[in-house]
Every structure is written in C-alpha cells, then in structure tokens.
Amino acid sequence: MEFDHHVFPVNKKEYIKGKKPSVDCILCAVVDKKKDVECLNILETDLIICSVNLYPYNNGHILLFPKRHIVDIRELTKEENIHMNAALKFMLDIIDDVYKPTGYNIGFNIGKFSGASIDHIHQHIIPRFPN
C-alpha cells in the first residue's frame, strides 16, 4: 500500500506536543491544498473529501469530511449528506477488499469534550481486527 509510512505514526508525539502546521483549520487547509499541509486525499467530490488519516488508530483509518467548514453534522446539507453516505459505502467496500477487517467503528466526535481535536466536522472510518 502506498501509505505504509503512515501505519505506525512515530511522529505523532511531536504533533501532540504542539508541532502543527500554522493554519486556522487543518481540514480547510487540506481542502484549499495548502502546501504546508500533507495531502492524503483518496476521494474528492465537489462537496466532500475522503483522506487517509495521517495518524491512524488502525490500518485503513479514513477521514471523511465536507469541504465546507462546519462543526456539527446537523449543519450538513442534503447534498453533502448524500455525498458523505455514498463515499462511506464506497470506502467500506475498498477497505474490505484491501484490509479484510472483522468490524468497524464509524462516527463523529462533536465538541471539544467528545475528543474532537479538529473543529471541522469529520467522520472516522476505523477498521477493526481481532486482538
């Protein structure tokens, strides 16, 4: 897989301690294709982006997010919802083919105390494996 160097993110410690790109919103910087932000996009429509997580919890960890900066899924338009759901199903099929997980955690962290470290709504697709 092309993203092998992101499977075990040893540089996440530096990121957690504050070594981050100087941008207002990391996902908006991805949308805007800012040069100081690593782009790992694997799917893009006019409304959403699907990206490999730079600091994955597991192999195949994907982030799915609207291009528009919003903080709550209730702000998604009908069209954004359609794109998000279609991309989710598409990515599940690809992850199944590539990694053959035995399960998934799929969800959103909404609000600072939910664990959301990025204030731009994004959906995690996390493949799970035995043990």
Side-chain angles (χ1 to χ4, degrees), residues 42-43 50 60 62 64 84-101 103-107 123-128:
I42 54 176
L43 175 72
C50 187
I62 303 295
L64 182 56
M84 292 279 289
N85 285 324
L88 170 62
K89 291 175 184 180
F90 180 73
M91 291 312 307
L92 289 174
D93 288 343
I94 290 174
I95 295 168
D96 281 348
D97 287 343
V98 173
Y99 293 104
K100 307 205 180 343
Y104 287 94
N105 291 117
I106 299 171
Q123 184 175 39
H124 291 265
I125 304 170
I126 307 169
R128 294 301 186 175

Side-chain angles (χ1 to χ4, degrees), residues 46-94:
D46 56 331
L47 297 176
I48 61 100
I49 290 178
C50 187
S51 178
V52 172
N53 190 333
L54 183 58
Y55 301 110
Y57 300 151
N58 268 339
N59 292 348
H61 183 170
I62 303 295
L63 297 179
L64 182 56
F65 55 94
K67 289 183 173 181
R68 191 169 59 96
H69 184 93
I70 58 174
V71 298
D72 191 302
I73 60 171
R74 293 167 285 197
E75 297 176 68
L76 289 168
T77 66
K78 181 179 179 181
E79 292 79 18
E80 287 167 331
N81 259 319
I82 290 168
H83 284 237
M84 292 279 289
N85 285 324
L88 170 62
K89 291 175 184 180
F90 180 73
M91 291 312 307
L92 289 174
D93 288 343
I94 290 174

